[in-house]
Amino acid sequence: MAISIQYWANYTAEKPKLMRKSDNAVISNHVLKFLFDQETKTIHSVIQASMRNTSYKVTANLGNSYEVSNTSCECPLGKYECHHVASALLYGYKCVSKTDIKCGWLKNTKTSIKKDIKTMEE
């Protein structure tokens, strides 16, 4: 689990309809794409609309104290709290795998070339 359930709980606090709709979207496999960047603590996701043949791009920035600091969604309610963002947060808790987390290259690899090695001729 890469994302704490606390982000979803704080985002949907005292909004049972938002909780229910986001849970239904995750159960119904409406989360089409999901990527979590640990460095910037940003979620990029694509969520299928519940009653249409449409999908919406979702972005959510996670804060340090389990708050969602900034969100965007292409849906009509995207400027406010929508269930697509809540679905991405819940999916990040329930279904995230290592392949959903953006990889970064290590700066100091374990197999780096040693400088003190000499060739046969030396």
Side-chain angles (χ1 to χ4, degrees):
M1 292 181 282
I3 300 172
S4 173
I5 190 68
Q6 198 64 39
Y7 289 107
W8 177 79
N10 288 343
Y11 186 79
T12 60
E14 299 180 19
K15 298 175 187 84
K17 185 176 180 182
L18 196 61
M19 288 179 180
R20 186 180 69 253
K21 287 182 82 170
S22 63
D23 192 35
N24 286 341
V26 172
I27 291 169
S28 301
N29 295 321
H30 284 200
V31 180
L32 304 177
K33 292 182 183 179
F34 182 89
L35 176 70
F36 178 59
D37 186 349
Q38 286 184 322
E39 289 180 18
T40 60
K41 291 181 117 180
T42 305
I43 295 172
H44 300 281
S45 187
V46 176
I47 312 292
Q48 182 180 348
S50 49
M51 298 302 285
R52 297 184 200 140
N53 195 13
T54 307
S55 59
Y56 300 117
K57 291 180 184 177
V58 173
T59 305
N61 296 323
L62 307 180
N64 292 328
S65 56
Y66 299 111
E67 83 277 352
V68 181
S69 58
N70 189 16
T71 64
S72 69
C73 181
E74 295 177 336
C75 77
L77 291 176
K79 296 178 183 177
Y80 309 101
E81 294 176 337
C82 71
H83 79 277
H84 303 110
V85 174
S87 301
L89 295 169
L90 187 59
Y91 182 88
Y93 170 72
K94 285 186 170 185
C95 307
V96 75
S97 69
K98 289 184 179 182
T99 58
D100 298 319
I101 299 172
K102 184 178 178 183
C103 295
W105 296 102
L106 297 174
K107 291 181 182 176
N108 297 324
T109 61
K110 293 179 182 178
T111 59
S112 61
I113 299 172
K114 296 181 181 178
K115 295 179 182 179
D116 60 347
I117 296 176
K118 296 182 180 180
T119 63
M120 294 282 291
E121 295 172 355
E122 294 175 340

